[in-house]
Structure formats: structure tokens, C-alpha cells
Amino acid sequence: MKMEALEVLKNRRAIRKFKAEQVSEEALQAVLEAGTYAPTGAGTQGVQIVAVQSPENVAAVDALNAKVLGKPDAHPYYGAPTIILIFETEACFTHELDGAAVCTNMVNAAYAAGLGSCWIHRCRQMFELEEGKALLRKWGLPETLTGVASIALGYADCEHPQAKPRKEDYVVRV
Ligand SMILES: Cc1cc2nc3c(=O)[nH]c(=O)nc-3n(C[C@H](O)[C@H](O)[C@H](O)COP(=O)(O)O)c2cc1C
């Protein structure tokens, strides 16, 4: 489970096909903990992480994301057995950026822990809808949470994708 940090950052790729097998508790814990150690503006930790694993809740989030996408029959989480939702709380000082930092830590940690992951969009819109707010209520969370990002998480059921070549002018040194 140990991998050099720079190797992880360079080789992690978005995974879009997952095995049905649930992720190990050890790997999930490693991913979630990595999220909590991400940098946050002024150290406010104004982020709420929600790990969704019950098949009923996973299906509800998948369907909600598909609704926002405008393709009700789609599966935007690609059948992943775990979905991680990232919200900003009212304490969030640097809106969205903290949540993005948390999400980045978690997708990289997922790769280091032997899992596949894909950052999935539309989290804000999902939890602006009444269905999203109803889920928050059901989970005992405040409706004031603002969705930032989400992650499809599981064991990859595909070849590891190759990274596109990096654009030549990505970095300017002055
Ligand atoms: C803000 C953001 C939103 C994304 N939303 C989606 C998404 O909704 N669905 C998806 O399949 N991939 C999504 N991705 C994954 C990107 O498509 C992927 O990171 C990109 O194609 C580069 O591939 P790589 O991650 O393998 O380097 C998102 C990535 C980011 C950073």
C-alpha cells in the first residue's frame, strides 16, 4: 500500500469502470483521513466529507447526479460501490477551493491505497435540489451544506489509463 508520493501524483488516473466488490475498510479509512489533512483556508477545515456506501444511498446519489446531468438513465458514478461527497460548511473561508483541495487529496490517496477513483461534477447542483436536501435531512446533516465535488470510488475493472501528453506551455518559469 506504500507508494512514493510523486509517483502517485503523476500516475493517478480517472477510473470509469468499477468492480462491484466494496472497498476495504482500511483503504476507505486511508482515503478519508487523507482528505481531512488537505490544506484549508486559514485552517478552518470548513469542509464536510460524506462517505456513501449503502446500496440505497449510492443509488439515490447516482440517480440525482443523472437528473442534474439531464440524462436520467445514466450512471454518472459508473457503478462505483462507494461515493464520497464533499461539501463546504458555513465556516468555509475560501469557498470551493478547500473542498477541491480535499477532493484532490482523496483521489490521490485512493490510487496510493490501490483503489480507482473519478472526480465527479454537479455536487453543488445536486444538493440545491429538494431531493438532495431530503437526503441531507435523512443523513442528519444540515441543509445549509453546499456541494463542492464528489468521487466515485472502488476497485478498477479496467486497464490503467494512460495520461494525455502534457501541453508544452503548461509551465512558465520567470
Ligand atoms: C472539477 C472536475 C470535474 C470532473 N467531473 C467529471 C465528471 O463529472 N465525470 C467524469 O467522468 N470525470 C470527471 N472529471 C475527471 C476528468 O475528466 C479527468 O480528471 C480528466 O479527464 C483527466 O484525466 P485524469 O484524471 O486521468 O488525468 C472531473 C475532474 C475535475 C477536476
Side-chain angles (χ1 to χ4, degrees), residues 10-16 65 69 76 78 104 117-122 148-150 161-164 166:
K10 201 169 156 186
N11 293 330
R12 176 221 53 83
R13 298 274 71 79
I15 298 299
R16 298 189 174 90
N65 200 303
L69 185 61
Y78 305 111
T104 304
S117 72
C118 190
W119 184 319
I120 306 295
H121 199 43
R122 300 170 289 281
V148 175
S150 65
Q162 291 290 311
K164 281 188 190 162
R166 303 292 97 176

Side-chain angles (χ1 to χ4, degrees), residues 120-168:
I120 306 295
H121 199 43
R122 300 170 289 281
C123 196
R124 175 183 292 270
Q125 297 92 317
M126 280 197 289
F127 292 92
E128 283 170 351
L129 293 178
E130 176 45 36
E131 291 104 304
K133 293 192 185 301
L135 284 175
L136 290 174
R137 282 197 297 274
K138 177 181 159 194
W139 301 336
L141 292 166
E143 287 181 37
T144 49
L145 291 177
T146 305
V148 175
S150 65
I151 300 173
L153 188 72
Y155 294 104
D157 191 18
C158 57
E159 293 282 304
H160 194 68
Q162 291 290 311
K164 281 188 190 162
R166 303 292 97 176
K167 61 178 183 177
E168 279 189 9

